[in-house]
Amino acid sequence: ALKRFVADWALMHGEPEPERRPFTGKRVAIIGGGPAGLSAAYYLTLQGHEATIFEAEEEAGGMLRWAIPNFRLPQEIVKREVQGIINLGVRVKYGKRWGKDFNLKWLFDQGYEAVFLGVGATRERVLEVEGREEAIPALKFLKMVNKGEAPRIGERVLVIGGGDAAI
């Protein structure tokens, strides 16, 4: 609650521009534009390094953007936070998937001196039960809903689990 209060106050009143060190000439490739990749880009940029995020989706934010429902975390806040990091000078290359569109060798060939892997943990365990092919994994379902692509479901639904995703 305290963090939310301070964050809301800063949005209304503005917050000071973070202090950046002089440019070092070092380039870092960051794989993944979720919370880990965005944090790495933020701190590397403040240290004076050039940070470039390679993000598979069309927007950065990772699970904060694609899986957490709007009523839990308003997307306007996520977008504003992401934009604040980009405004520091972080470059983002959208629609770039690790292993498909680029690889480690290509990054070093492009002059990046270090690589940060922040690809997240988006694989879910597969249910080992009969009929599992009819199930929709939680993260896939939440992503669909957040993109406005809610699947057609019947009148009765079974939710397996009791964690945040199930709720």
Side-chain angles (χ1 to χ4, degrees), residues 66-162:
W66 300 111
I68 297 179
N70 200 44
F71 73 89
R72 295 285 305 261
L73 177 62
Q75 291 305 304
E76 182 178 310
I77 291 173
V78 174
K79 289 179 181 184
R80 191 182 321 226
E81 291 289 324
V82 169
Q83 192 59 51
I85 293 169
I86 292 170
N87 290 346
L88 291 173
V90 173
R91 293 187 178 111
V92 184
K93 299 189 182 277
Y94 296 105
K96 302 296 181 189
R97 188 170 298 280
W98 170 259
K100 178 182 174 195
D101 300 310
F102 64 95
N103 59 33
L104 193 60
K105 181 184 179 325
W106 183 86
L107 291 172
F108 286 122
D109 288 347
Q110 299 302 306
Y112 292 99
E113 298 171 69
V115 176
F116 176 87
L117 294 176
V119 295
T122 58
R123 288 204 176 141
E124 297 179 278
R125 291 188 320 194
V126 177
L127 289 173
E128 296 296 332
V129 296
E130 185 177 329
R132 68 179 170 263
E133 58 279 349
E134 300 296 323
I136 302 172
L139 291 179
K140 180 178 180 179
F141 177 80
L142 290 170
K143 279 180 159 181
M144 291 172 74
V145 169
N146 275 348
K147 287 184 175 184
E149 304 168 357
R152 292 175 45 98
I153 54 176
E155 291 182 28
R156 295 177 53 187
V157 177
L158 172 64
V159 177
I160 301 173

Side-chain angles (χ1 to χ4, degrees), residues 30-56:
I30 299 168
I31 315 305
L38 289 164
S39 294
Y42 176 83
Y43 288 109
L44 287 164
T45 300
L46 292 184
Q47 293 297 313
H49 308 305
E50 179 185 308
T52 303
I53 295 174
F54 292 82
E55 170 56 43

